[in-house]
Amino acid sequence: MNFSLSEEHLMIQQAARDFAQKELLPGVIERDRDQKFPTEQVKKMGEMGLLGMMVDPKYGGAGMDSVSYVLAMEEIAKVDASAAVVMSVNNSLVCAGIEKFASEEQKMKYLVPLASGEKLGAFALSEPEAGSDATSQKTTAVDMGDYYLLNGTKNWITNGGTASYYVVIAQTDPEKKHKGINAFIVEREWAGFEIGPKEDKLGIRGSDTHSLMFTDVKVPKENRIGEDGFGFNFAMAVLNGGRIGIASQALGIASGAYELALNYAKQRKAFRTEIINHQAIAFKLADMATQITAARMLCFKAAVEKDEGKDISESGAMAKLYSSQVAMDTTIEAVQIHGGYGYVKEYHVERMMRDAKITQIYEGTSEIQKIVISRSIAK
């Protein structure tokens, strides 16, 4: 594998870095405090092509590769993990799934505005009783002939309150279990669709997380993605790619916290010298730098394999599992290196520590990643 980045990759990385510093850093503490969605910033991300990075330009996307996506995600998440997860969901869970599996009519109607950033998407799989066990869908979609009647509740839905289009996973034939599950594109304005209150979260507080309620929502037959019963396989395929996005988000949180800790250690003095000269601090930074580099390589590996059309269930799970652990470990140590300053909001690292935790939970918990990896290596 070639580890050198192309000139185009470096340009994308720098553009995302500049955007994060100029557009996301101002107000990031206040958005976290007030649970304020970064509306204007996300709009500008769409204008830059960051919301449909890997989508074919004929559908409004930027036509970039997955390595470019990892690079951009890391730079955005270094500064604002909430903006990064908005970007991840729209790219990895919504646009990617529609582009790969939807009909041409569905792509023209829904993918074009999603990839261009004109509209925002959400992915609705989790339920009150179906998180890691995605086969236990209670939301139902009853076949009524030329439409489905959708009933049920989804929760923990990122972009839940701001999206225009929702990819919803529902059970059509319970007797067939996972083979009776379907995926649908649902529009926000449809009768019977209700959005619940915003969740008050530990971290990624700038992203909007809501429950979704469906009461006799009529979903046209043409809004089903793929053949009847394809929904579970669709969701698993989409999540495989989505793990690269969350791994990159975790990588960005870790590298952002590390950079802040490194700069602080070079300036803060104790016992008549900068604290980076004390082995206790220097060794923490050495571990952080090594682990972050390893996480980045895992993200790159998964991204390259995805672009090569390989099965990324194992490499994506490894990237997410390891990167999310590195995010937790790095942010905890970044707070420690900052001492008392690390415990206050002004210095950012306490927010990064809170943001890091969710990367071990959503789009497949760390325990689920280990199941995926262990099954893969046992083959």
Side-chain angles (χ1 to χ4, degrees), residues 104-119:
E104 191 65 22
E105 291 75 18
Q106 290 169 339
K107 291 176 187 178
M108 296 307 298
K109 184 175 181 179
Y110 296 110
L111 182 58
V112 171
L114 286 166
S116 65
E118 179 188 340
K119 302 288 186 180

Side-chain angles (χ1 to χ4, degrees), residues 140-302:
T140 59
V142 178
D143 191 341
M144 303 298 289
D146 58 350
Y147 66 90
Y148 289 89
L149 209 55
L150 188 65
N151 284 278
T153 300
K154 297 292 184 179
N155 63 348
W156 318 124
I157 307 305
T158 301
N159 299 346
T162 51
S164 296
Y165 306 135
Y166 300 77
V167 176
V168 180
I169 312 300
Q171 182 67 258
T172 298
D173 190 343
E175 291 186 1
K176 293 182 179 179
K177 299 182 180 178
H178 74 281
K179 293 183 179 180
I181 293 173
N182 279 303
F184 305 92
I185 302 174
V186 175
E187 298 183 20
R188 181 190 185 98
E189 296 82 8
W190 287 351
F193 180 21
E194 182 181 354
I195 299 170
K198 182 185 290 187
E199 301 289 352
D200 190 2
K201 309 187 298 290
L202 171 73
I204 56 166
R205 289 169 59 83
S207 74
D208 63 317
T209 306
H210 297 256
S211 292
L212 310 177
M213 285 75 73
F214 305 95
T215 306
D216 290 339
V217 178
K218 290 185 177 180
V219 182
K221 263 287 177 59
E222 58 265 28
N223 277 50
R224 186 188 72 204
I225 300 175
E227 296 298 318
D228 185 29
F230 180 64
F232 181 76
N233 289 336
F234 168 85
M236 294 304 102
V238 167
L239 286 171
N240 277 340
R243 284 165 186 151
I244 296 176
I246 300 306
S248 304
Q249 180 198 25
L251 169 64
I253 295 169
S255 57
Y258 163 74
E259 289 177 5
L260 290 172
L262 177 63
N263 290 334
Y264 183 82
K266 288 178 177 179
Q267 298 170 14
R268 172 71 172 179
K269 288 187 176 182
F271 304 103
R272 299 178 300 280
T273 187
E274 291 77 11
I275 62 173
I276 196 170
N277 296 321
H278 297 299
Q279 192 177 77
I281 302 300
F283 278 16
K284 287 182 187 294
L285 292 164
D287 285 339
M288 292 157 75
T290 302
Q291 291 161 6
I292 289 167
T293 300
R296 188 176 291 115
M297 293 301 103
L298 283 172
C299 290
F300 283 167
K301 181 177 185 292

